[in-house]
C-alpha cells in the first residue's frame, strides 16, 4: 500500500510538471488536487460544488458572499430596491471577457434568460420575470412577486459572454445549447470575466488555467499566474501528494488525516463547520413500501447518525435530523436524532414488512468525505431491520448521470444551500418534482407533499423575515414527520496547503475558494 501511494504521488508530480511550459514553471504556479475535476465547462449545465468552484475561477458573479455572509460587489457595484419587485443594479465599467468582448448589461440579461432554461438553475430563477436593460451598464431585475432572496440569487449570476455563446457551430448546433451530461459547444469552450482563463482541459486528467492579463480587479492581492488542477480521487494519494510537495493545495482533507497534516510543519490546515447536508433519498416510484410513511420512518430510526459521525467521520461531522443547519432561518431546534432500532423494527412490522425486502442503493465514491464507507455502513444498519441492500458505488463523473436517471431505490446526495437559506434545500430536494419548473430537480425520492410546497411558496413571498423563519421551520417539522428522506450529517470542511500558500483568507463555508485573491508567499 505504501509503495502504491508513493508511485501514485510520483506519477502525479510528473503529470503536473508535464502540464506546464518551462516559462510558466518560473512564475507563481499553484498545483491543486481536488477529489474530482469539473464535469463540464458549461457553468449552467449542473448545479454542483465543482461547477461553482469553476465559476469563481473563470467568471465573476454580480455579487459574492464574504466570509461573514455579507454581499460584496463584483460585476455589480451598486444596487437599489426600486419597489417590492424591482432591483436596479449598476454594473462595473471597463470589464473585458476572455474573448476580448466588452462586458455590458446585455450580457447580464442574456445570462439570466439562459439560467431560466437550465434544468438545474431554473427553479432558482423562476421568480424572475425579466431583466430590463436600462443602459450599457444598468439593469433592472424584475421579479414576478415580492422576493426576499433577490440578492442571494445575484450570487448565482455569473455573466456569460453573450456574443461568444451566440450563433451556431459548424454542425448547426446552437452555441448556447445546454446539454446535461453531454457534449455541447458550451461544455467545451469558455469565455468569462474571471481571474483565470482555461488554457487546456483533459477530462479526468487535468485543467490548466492562466491568469487573465486584462482582469478588471487590479486591487486583488492575488499573485498566482498559473493553476494546474489535477483530480486525485483517492484520499491517501491526495494527502501524500501534498506532504511530499508534489501539490500545493488539496481539498477535501479526509478526517483520518487531519492530525497528520496539522502536525506537518510544511503544511497549513484550515477547517470550518459545514452546512452541506448528506442524505439518502427513498424512491417511492421504484419501491412500493416507500410510499408508507411508517417504512420511511423505520429507515430513519434504523440509521445511527451519531455512530457514523463519531466512527467513520472521526467527529468531523454534525449528525442531522433535518436539512437546515443551526444558524439557518429554517433550523427547527425541536427536531432530534431518532436512532432506535427497536422502534424501527416495530414500524416495519406495523407496515407489514417484518420480514423486510430487498432494495438497490447507489452512492458516489469520490464526491463526499467517506461517501462509499457511509453507504456501506447504512447498508449494514438496514440489514438489522431485514432490508437487503444491493449497493453500488461510482466515481462522481459517472454517478451524476445515474442520479439524474434515478437508477437506484436509494441514492445519496449532499447539498449546500448556496443562497445560504433553508428554502433552497426544500426547492431542490423535497418539492414535488416538476420538470417544467425545475422544482424537485434533485428529489430522487419522488417525495411529494403539496401542503408543504404551498407553505414554501408563501414563505418565498414573505418579506417579514421573522414570520418567514417560522414558516420554514414548519416545513422542517413536516418533512421530519413524513420521514421524507434519511438525514445523515452536515459535513465539516477541511482544506490543506503548503506552508507558503496563504489559503485561509480565500476560503469560505460555501466551499468556493476565491483563488483569484490567493497569495503565494516568498
Amino acid at each position: 500500500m505504501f509503495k502504491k501511494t508513493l508511485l501514485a504521488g510520483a506519477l502525479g508530480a510528473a503529470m503536473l510538471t508535464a502540464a506546464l511550459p518551462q516559462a510558466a514553471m518560473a512564475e507563481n504556479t499553484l498545483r491543486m488536487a481536488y477529489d474530482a475535476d469539473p464535469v463540464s465547462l458549461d457553468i449552467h449545465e449542473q448545479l454542483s460544488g465543482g461547477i461553482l468552484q469553476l465559476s469563481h475561477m473563470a467568471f465573476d458573479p454580480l455579487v459574492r458572499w464574504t466570509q461573514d455572509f455579507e454581499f460584496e460587489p463584483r460585476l455589480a457595484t451598486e444596487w437599489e430596491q426600486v419597489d417590492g419587485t424591482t432591483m436596479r443594479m449598476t454594473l462595473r465599467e471597463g470589464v473585458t471577457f476572455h474573448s476580448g468582448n466588452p462586458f455590458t448589461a446585455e450580457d447580464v440579461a442574456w445570462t439570466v434568460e439562459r439560467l431560466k432554461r437550465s434544468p438545474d438553475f431554473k427553479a432558482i430563477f423562476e421568480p424572475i420575470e425579466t431583466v430590463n436593460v436600462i443602459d450599457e451598464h444598468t439593469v433592472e431585475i424584475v421579479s414576478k412577486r415580492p422576493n426576499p432572496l433577490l440578492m442571494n440569487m445575484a450570487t448565482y449570476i455569473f455573466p456569460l459572454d453573450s456574443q461568444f455563446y451566440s450563433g451556431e457551430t459548424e454542425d448547426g448546433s446552437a452555441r448556447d445549447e445546454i446539454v446535461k451530461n453531454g457534449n455541447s459547444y458550451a461544455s467545451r469552450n469558455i469565455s468569462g470575466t474571471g481571474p483565470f482563463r482555461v488554457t487546456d482541459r483533459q477530462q479526468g486528467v487535468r485543467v490548466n488555467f492562466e491568469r487573465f492579463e486584462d482582469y478588471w480587479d487590479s486591487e486583488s492581492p492575488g499573485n498566482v499566474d498559473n493553476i494546474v488542477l489535477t483530480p486525485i480521487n483517492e484520499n491517501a494519494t491526495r494527502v501524500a501528494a501534498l506532504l511530499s510537495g508534489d501539490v500545493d493545495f488539496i481539498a477535501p482533507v479526509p478526517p483520518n488525516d487531519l492530525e497528520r497534516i496539522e502536525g506537518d510543519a510544511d503544511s497549513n490546515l484550515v477547517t470550518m463547520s459545514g452546512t452541506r447536508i448528506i442524505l439518502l433519498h427513498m424512491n417511492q416510484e421504484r419501491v412500493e413500501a416507500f410510499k408508507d410513511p411508517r417504512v420511511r420512518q423505520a429507515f430513519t430510526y434504523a440509521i445511527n447518525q451519531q455512530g457514523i459521525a463519531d466512527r467513520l467521520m472521526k467527529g468531523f461531522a454534525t449528525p442531522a435530523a433535518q436539512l437546515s443547519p443551526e444558524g439557518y432561518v429554517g433550523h427547527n431546534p425541536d427536531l432530534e436524532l431518532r436512532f432506535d432500532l427497536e422502534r424501527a423494527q416495530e414500524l416495519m412490522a406495523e407496515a407489514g414488512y417484518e420480514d423486510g425486502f430487498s432494495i438497490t442503493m447507489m452512492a458516489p465514491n469520490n464526491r463526499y468525505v467517506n461517501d462509499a464507507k457511509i453507504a456501506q455502513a447504512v447498508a449494514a444498519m438496514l440489514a438489522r431491520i431485514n432490508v437487503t441492500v444491493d449497493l453500488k458505488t461510482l466515481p462522481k463523473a459517472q454517478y451524476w448521470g445515474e442520479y439524474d436517471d434515478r437508477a437506484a431505490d436509494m441514492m445519496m446526495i449532499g447539498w449546500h444551500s448556496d443562497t445560504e437559506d433553508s428554502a433552497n434545500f426544500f426547492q431542490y430536494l423535497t418539492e414535488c418534482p416538476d420538470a417544467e419548473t425545475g422544482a424537485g430537480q434533485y428529489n430522487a425520492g419522488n417525495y411529494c407533499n403539496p401542503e408543504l410546497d404551498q407553505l414554501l411558496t408563501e414563505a418565498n413571498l414573505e418579506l417579514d423575515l421573522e414570520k418567514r423563519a417560522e414558516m420554514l421551520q414548519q416545513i422542517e417539522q413536516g418533512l421530519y414527520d413524513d420521514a421524507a428522506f434519511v438525514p445523515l450529517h452536515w459535513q465539516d470542511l477541511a482544506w490543506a496547503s503548503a506552508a507558503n500558500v496563504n489559503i485561509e483568507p480565500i476560503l469560505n463555508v460555501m466551499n468556493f475558494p476565491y483563488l483569484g485573491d490567493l497569495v503565494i508567499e516568498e
Side-chain angles (χ1 to χ4, degrees):
M1 184 66 180
F2 183 66
K3 290 182 179 179
K4 178 181 177 182
T5 300
L6 285 179
L7 176 60
L11 288 173
M15 188 164 57
L16 290 169
T17 303
L20 287 171
Q22 289 303 310
M25 294 297 289
E27 300 174 339
N28 276 340
T29 296
L30 179 73
R31 301 163 302 167
M32 296 173 56
Y34 278 170
D35 55 352
D37 54 344
V39 298
S40 172
L41 294 182
D42 185 350
I43 62 170
H44 295 168
E45 182 179 325
Q46 184 185 84
L47 178 52
S48 67
I51 288 294
L52 288 165
Q53 288 164 355
L54 170 67
S55 300
H56 282 282
M57 296 173 70
F59 296 83
D60 281 300
L62 293 181
V63 297
R64 74 182 182 188
W65 295 104
T66 67
Q67 290 178 324
D68 298 324
F69 296 110
E70 301 293 335
F71 294 116
E72 177 183 9
R74 297 307 288 169
L75 293 187
T77 57
E78 299 176 21
W79 46 89
E80 175 190 3
Q81 192 75 41
V82 178
D83 55 41
T85 58
T86 305
M87 173 78 73
R88 178 176 295 150
M89 286 190 156
T90 302
L91 305 177
R92 192 175 298 278
E93 299 184 22
V95 177
T96 304
F97 285 104
H98 298 163
S99 67
N101 294 326
F103 163 66
T104 71
E106 294 287 350
D107 298 303
V108 176
W110 187 91
T111 298
V112 173
E113 286 303 310
R114 190 171 190 261
L115 283 162
K116 288 171 68 175
R117 59 184 174 86
S118 162
D120 278 28
F121 286 88
K122 63 184 177 182
I124 291 178
F125 286 89
E126 183 277 333
I128 301 300
E129 180 70 44
T130 187
V131 176
N132 295 325
V133 175
I134 306 304
D135 58 39
E136 195 172 45
H137 294 99
T138 310
V139 295
E140 285 186 351
I141 303 177
V142 181
S143 299
K144 298 175 184 176
R145 47 194 175 270
N147 188 348
L149 295 176
L150 191 54
M151 286 300 295
N152 302 54
M153 292 165 61
T155 65
Y156 279 113
I157 302 174
F158 295 83
L160 270 64
D161 185 343
S162 59
Q163 295 182 56
F164 181 82
Y165 291 102
S166 294
E168 295 184 345
T169 62
E170 291 182 359
D171 64 3
S173 299
R175 289 190 173 197
D176 67 347
E177 182 183 20
I178 302 172
V179 180
K180 287 279 289 181
N181 306 307
N183 189 13
S184 68
Y185 178 84
S187 71
R188 304 186 310 272
N189 298 275
I190 187 169
S191 175
T193 62
F196 299 103
R197 296 173 55 246
V198 176
T199 58
D200 183 56
R201 174 176 179 256
Q202 297 182 43
Q203 182 70 49
V205 179
R206 69 169 182 270
V207 187
N208 287 5
F209 301 83
E210 69 176 16
R211 196 163 193 93
F212 180 39
E213 290 185 0
D214 294 327
Y215 185 48
W216 62 268
D217 190 359
S218 59
E219 301 299 314
S220 171
N223 66 354
V224 175
D225 301 301
N226 300 281
I227 295 177
V228 181
L229 169 59
T230 303
I232 302 178
N233 61 17
E234 187 176 286
N235 287 334
T237 306
R238 192 166 61 253
V239 171
L242 174 71
L243 296 178
S244 65
D246 292 339
V247 299
D248 311 302
F249 178 35
I250 65 169
V253 178
N256 290 342
D257 290 297
L258 293 172
E259 292 184 8
R260 183 181 176 200
I261 292 176
E262 193 169 27
D264 181 53
D266 296 324
S267 301
N268 289 326
L269 176 69
V270 179
T271 62
M272 294 184 189
S273 297
T275 57
R276 181 185 301 280
I277 182 74
I278 307 297
L279 62 96
L280 289 161
H281 278 302
M282 299 167 280
N283 194 327
Q284 297 180 37
E285 290 191 0
R286 290 177 59 100
V287 179
E288 182 69 24
F290 286 157
K291 294 179 180 179
D292 190 325
R294 294 170 298 184
V295 172
R296 300 195 302 269
Q297 290 165 5
F299 274 49
T300 64
Y301 278 105
I303 307 305
N304 185 355
Q305 296 107 321
Q306 188 69 57
I308 290 173
D310 290 345
R311 293 191 286 275
L312 284 180
M313 301 299 290
K314 305 296 184 183
F316 195 61
T318 303
Q322 58 187 302
L323 294 172
S324 303
E326 189 172 355
Y328 272 38
V329 292
H331 180 78
N332 189 328
D334 296 332
L335 305 184
E336 299 179 347
L337 300 178
R338 47 185 172 186
F339 170 58
D340 184 335
L341 183 58
E342 184 176 341
R343 181 58 181 146
Q345 292 167 338
E346 290 174 355
L347 285 164
M348 289 290 282
E350 289 174 18
Y353 294 101
E354 184 174 8
D355 295 331
F357 50 86
S358 297
I359 61 169
T360 59
M361 181 190 295
M362 280 190 184
N365 57 25
N366 65 346
R367 175 60 188 97
Y368 312 116
V369 178
N370 288 334
D371 41 17
K373 291 181 179 179
I374 292 168
Q376 291 164 6
V378 168
M381 292 172 185
L382 291 176
R384 299 173 71 183
I385 57 171
N386 298 321
V387 173
T388 302
V389 178
D390 179 6
L391 173 63
K392 183 178 182 180
T393 65
L394 297 166
K396 169 186 170 183
Q398 299 173 30
Y399 180 69
W400 290 121
E402 298 292 327
Y403 190 94
D404 288 338
D405 292 339
R406 310 297 190 248
D409 304 332
M410 291 188 74
M411 303 197 81
M412 178 185 289
I413 191 169
W415 196 267
H416 166 253
S417 171
D418 299 303
T419 56
E420 304 307 324
D421 182 79
S422 298
N424 182 262
F425 288 123
F426 311 141
Q427 195 168 26
Y428 278 92
L429 299 175
T430 64
E431 271 198 316
C432 301
D434 187 327
E436 185 174 337
T437 65
Q441 174 73 17
Y442 286 85
N443 179 359
N446 288 295
Y447 168 81
C448 184
N449 186 322
E451 291 182 4
L452 295 182
D453 288 1
Q454 179 58 35
L455 187 56
L456 176 61
T457 298
E458 294 170 6
N460 283 340
L461 296 173
E462 182 54 64
L463 299 180
D464 182 330
L465 299 184
E466 185 174 336
K467 184 176 180 181
R468 183 173 183 271
E470 292 175 357
M471 297 166 77
L472 296 174
Q473 290 167 17
Q474 288 179 43
I475 296 173
E476 285 286 15
Q477 182 71 60
L479 296 173
Y480 182 88
D481 293 341
D482 271 356
F485 53 89
V486 178
L488 295 173
H489 54 259
W490 293 289
Q491 179 178 289
D492 289 350
L493 301 172
W495 306 261
S497 70
N500 68 325
V501 179
N502 190 16
I503 58 173
E504 189 163 2
I506 60 101
L507 298 175
N508 49 63
V509 74
M510 291 80 71
N511 196 17
F512 314 142
Y514 297 152
L515 292 166
D517 296 335
L518 180 64
V519 173
I520 297 179
E521 299 169 349
E522 296 293 333

